[in-house]
Amino acid sequence: MRQLYDVIVVGAGSMGMSAGYELAKRGMRTLLIDAFDPPHDKGSHHGEPRLIRHAYGGGPTYVKLAIRADERWRELEEETGEKLLVRSGVLNVADPDVYKFGVRFGDAEDHGVRIEALDAEEIRHRWPGVRVPDRYRAMYEPDAGYLYSEKCVSAYRRLAKESGARILTDTFVTGIHAGAAFVTVSTKDVTYTASHVVLSAGAWYRSFASLIDAPIRAVRKVVGWFEPNGSAADGAYDAGTFPGFTFGDASGGYYGFPSIGGAGVKIGRHDGGIPWEPGEPFAPFGAYPDDEADLRLALETFLPAAAGKLMRGTACKYELTPDDDFLIDVHPEYPNIVLAGGFSGHGFKFASAIGELIADRIEYGRWGRDLSIFSFGRFAGQGHSRTGARTGT
């Protein structure tokens, strides 16, 4: 049994669902297939919220993409009537012996992004719950904040369906076969055919190595929510008072969020992680002693009054490229297959803009902006590492 579509999206997480909505809205017969039922807790988009920043590491391509993504998130809010983006501000703190913000200040100024340079005394004055050594420095972005990731995916899913897309959940793709004019996508029971396919399989990208051998590896990551220490914290970490944050020093890079509605301060670690392969068991939070201990140590170091009782924890997946930059390109042999993967733990904020880019590429045959840093061809030399240029979500 075969069914014909204009576009099939394989993997309907944040990027795939955004693209599916954009494609269906433009009148294309669109099928989205996901191995689970998004939003779900098997990939990278669960656990709310995700940081959105604009003074970004990685150069002007990222800054311009972040600005466009912000515009698209606001449009999504207007279309759905839902609150998806909170402008809490984001405080980025670093040991200058490990990381300096210099280039990011210049890129931000060039693109009209508001930022402030802060020394340790000013950091402690504005946010008494933060403890940093005198030599540390910060870049504060007042217009940055966080997105409710699962609500965003749900919003795109609803709008995609209203625009005519078909969403096939709890369905594993068993094969993708490319041709010059059409691509077939097989599941256990049905084979679907389309003029174009979007491969946005997240941590399952290696499952399609026979189609595209991209050097994307998946790792297990954890995040935890901690209850501030009562009167010692005195509301210092509450949403509306405390910003989103990143901290970076020789021990690693961490990111987090204020306590939203009493949920606790959320913190995660951007670097590290335990390798995972599709089909392997996935260990839940708490399976390793370091799951809590590492996060707690970071809080004790930087936000000591937030290091109270662990309220909950969860494990998710990063899918990493060798250089931490994304893969957004067309297949080197089959331009009717669009590749979107390797978002390396910092991609969610861009999903609104990336969905738009994918739809532009399929509708018009062009990206509409320079995406050369995300090309598949760069993997021939394995790129260069920029670890530390970006911290967390």
Side-chain angles (χ1 to χ4, degrees):
M1 179 180 179
R2 291 178 180 269
Q3 298 190 40
L4 182 63
Y5 292 87
D6 294 320
V7 187
I8 299 172
V9 179
V10 178
S14 52
M15 306 301 168
M17 199 68 80
S18 171
Y21 161 62
E22 290 284 348
L23 292 159
K25 183 177 67 171
R26 300 181 191 201
M28 299 183 209
R29 292 168 297 173
T30 304
L31 171 66
L32 297 98
I33 306 176
D34 199 271
F36 307 102
D37 191 3
H40 54 71
D41 62 358
K42 305 296 191 295
S44 304
H45 63 253
H46 72 285
E48 305 281 25
R50 296 293 187 276
L51 293 178
I52 179 166
R53 299 171 287 151
H54 315 95
Y56 216 70
T61 298
Y62 277 107
V63 177
K64 289 185 283 189
L65 194 61
I67 292 170
R68 179 56 179 162
D70 192 290
E71 294 170 353
R72 297 293 287 157
W73 289 122
R74 283 182 279 132
E75 290 173 11
L76 183 63
E77 284 188 319
E78 291 172 5
E79 190 163 0
T80 61
E82 294 186 55
K83 184 64 174 176
L84 304 173
L85 191 163
V86 176
R87 299 206 186 277
S88 64
V90 174
L91 176 68
N92 303 278
V93 179
D95 178 348
D97 292 339
V98 176
Y99 179 72
K100 293 180 172 62
F101 297 106
V103 175
R104 292 171 65 178
F105 281 116
D107 287 341
E109 183 177 355
D110 290 345
H111 294 88
V113 177
R114 290 201 304 153
I115 49 172
E116 301 174 37
L118 306 177
D119 61 19
E121 183 178 2
E122 182 65 18
I123 296 167
R124 295 188 293 255
H125 173 72
R126 291 200 196 184
W127 299 283
V130 179
R131 181 173 67 191
V132 290
D134 288 342
R135 71 176 186 280
Y136 278 41
R137 296 293 180 267
M139 180 180 71
Y140 178 61
E141 190 178 338
D143 298 324
Y146 51 83
L147 293 154
Y148 293 113
S149 54
E150 293 172 52
K151 290 183 180 179
C152 291
V153 174
S154 293
Y156 274 134
R157 176 173 176 165
R158 177 167 61 82
L159 292 179
K161 290 184 69 175
E162 291 175 359
S163 299
R166 180 184 176 191
I167 301 174
L168 195 60
T169 62
D170 300 308
T171 303
F172 279 84
V173 169
T174 57
I176 301 176
H177 303 281
F182 295 99
V183 183
T184 59
V185 177
S186 300
T187 66
K188 179 182 177 182
D189 301 312
V190 182
T191 296
Y192 303 93
T193 302
S195 301
H196 293 84
V197 161
V198 177
L199 183 58
S200 51
W204 282 263
Y205 232 87
R206 293 298 297 166
S207 300
F208 301 96
S210 61
L211 174 69
I212 184 72
D213 192 17
I216 294 174
R217 62 185 181 90
V219 298
R220 173 187 178 273
K221 304 290 295 182
V222 297
V223 295
W225 287 257
F226 291 79
E227 183 178 35
N229 285 315
S231 59
D234 195 26
Y237 304 110
D238 288 351
T241 300
F242 201 69
F245 60 87
T246 70
F247 293 100
D249 64 8
S251 69
Y254 297 84
Y255 64 91
F257 306 84
S259 178
I260 302 168
V265 173
K266 177 185 174 182
I267 186 169
R269 181 169 184 163
H270 182 58
D271 57 318
I274 298 172
W276 178 82
E277 291 288 341
E280 290 183 349
F282 189 73
F285 184 94
Y288 302 93
D290 284 348
D291 286 353
E292 178 180 348
D294 184 50
L295 302 179
R296 180 175 294 281
L297 179 60
L299 285 178
E300 290 171 346
T301 301
F302 297 110
L303 309 176
K309 180 181 69 175
L310 175 70
M311 300 180 74
R312 77 181 181 101
T314 189
C316 62
K317 302 176 183 74
Y318 275 17
E319 62 275 10
L320 303 169
T321 63
D323 57 10
D324 288 344
D325 288 325
F326 310 151
L327 169 60
I328 307 174
D329 204 348
V330 295
H331 193 286
E333 297 177 47
Y334 303 103
N336 53 354
I337 298 179
V338 176
L339 310 172
F343 291 100
S344 300
H346 64 106
F348 185 89
K349 65 182 72 62
F350 299 102
S352 58
I354 290 172
E356 179 183 44
L357 286 169
I358 290 170
D360 284 348
R361 182 63 177 78
I362 291 173
E363 184 174 14
Y364 305 120
R366 62 181 186 275
W367 291 111
R369 66 174 65 217
D370 180 11
L371 300 181
S372 55
I373 67 169
F374 304 137
S375 70
F376 177 75
R378 78 185 193 272
F379 294 131
Q382 293 299 294
H384 64 282
S385 175
R386 289 212 300 269
T387 301
R390 294 172 293 271
T391 303
T393 62

